[in-house]
Amino acid sequence: ATGPAGETGATGATGPAGTTSGSNLLVNGGMETFTDSIPDGWTGPGADESEQENAVQGLIHSGQSAVKLKGKTGITSTSLSQRVAAPYTGCSYKCIFNAKCSGTTPALLATMTFYNTEGAVVGTPITLQMQEGSLPSDAGSYGTYFFMTPLADETVTEIEIKFDASGLDDNAIQNIYLDDVFLFN
């Protein structure tokens, strides 16, 4: 014989609702669409300092393309950035990206910066530095990198991801490739 059925317990998540996005907050983080050699959704390099790499063996991480940051005559550094709404406070934001280089001299500095409604920086920007010679350069080999912010306080309204590339040249020898950039909380 069995007794009467007990009460049904709680179902689903019990944490606060609406505090995580779970999806990429960046536009075109996969570097799949471009306008005038700059990935759509990104602010970036000057003319001729970036280009789209289309499904070239070893030059893309996934999908159909990646962005190549390159130098030009007299310019050995460039940057690529995107600023988006920071939809949640009281949480940290995480950035995962994939990078590689050609040559031996390129270096990469990745930065995440919080901003308030007035456009002023909130707190100290978080950086991740890949020194000269530390990025993978073998065909097909991308490195996957991760860094995160401290908790966003109530004044944070935007977050910017910026990549500063240096050690580039205008001979198509010293370049940096970026693909599959994710920002989430």
Side-chain angles (χ1 to χ4, degrees), residues 49-168:
E49 293 173 28
S50 71
E51 66 184 47
Q52 181 177 11
E53 287 294 342
N54 287 309
V56 176
Q57 182 68 22
L59 297 183
I60 62 169
H61 181 258
S62 74
Q64 296 300 308
S65 63
V67 63
K68 176 169 81 173
L69 301 177
K70 59 183 187 169
K72 66 179 191 177
T73 303
I75 297 177
T76 59
S77 62
T78 192
S79 65
L80 184 71
S81 64
Q82 187 173 141
R83 191 185 292 195
V84 296
Y88 307 109
T89 58
C91 64
S92 61
Y93 287 82
K94 296 120 186 124
C95 180
I96 298 173
F97 63 94
N98 295 277
K100 67 174 284 171
C101 72
S102 59
T104 58
T105 63
L108 185 65
L109 176 66
T111 306
M112 284 194 288
T113 307
F114 285 141
Y115 293 90
N116 64 21
T117 55
E118 289 80 38
V121 172
V122 176
T124 302
I126 304 302
T127 61
L128 179 62
Q129 175 76 51
M130 282 67 61
Q131 301 289 340
E132 177 181 308
S134 67
L135 289 166
S137 60
D138 295 335
S141 294
Y142 266 80
T144 300
Y145 302 90
F146 168 87
F147 65 130
M148 65 187 286
T149 68
L151 298 180
D153 71 29
E154 66 281 351
T155 66
V156 173
T157 58
E158 293 181 308
I159 184 168
E160 179 183 60
I161 302 296
K162 184 176 183 184
F163 296 99
D164 290 301
S166 60
L168 309 174

Side-chain angles (χ1 to χ4, degrees), residues 26-66:
L26 298 173
V27 174
N28 192 26
M31 308 296 175
E32 296 301 318
T33 59
F34 286 69
T35 301
D36 297 328
S37 79
I38 297 173
D40 293 338
W42 294 82
T43 302
D48 302 323
E49 293 173 28
S50 71
E51 66 184 47
Q52 181 177 11
E53 287 294 342
N54 287 309
V56 176
Q57 182 68 22
L59 297 183
I60 62 169
H61 181 258
S62 74
Q64 296 300 308
S65 63

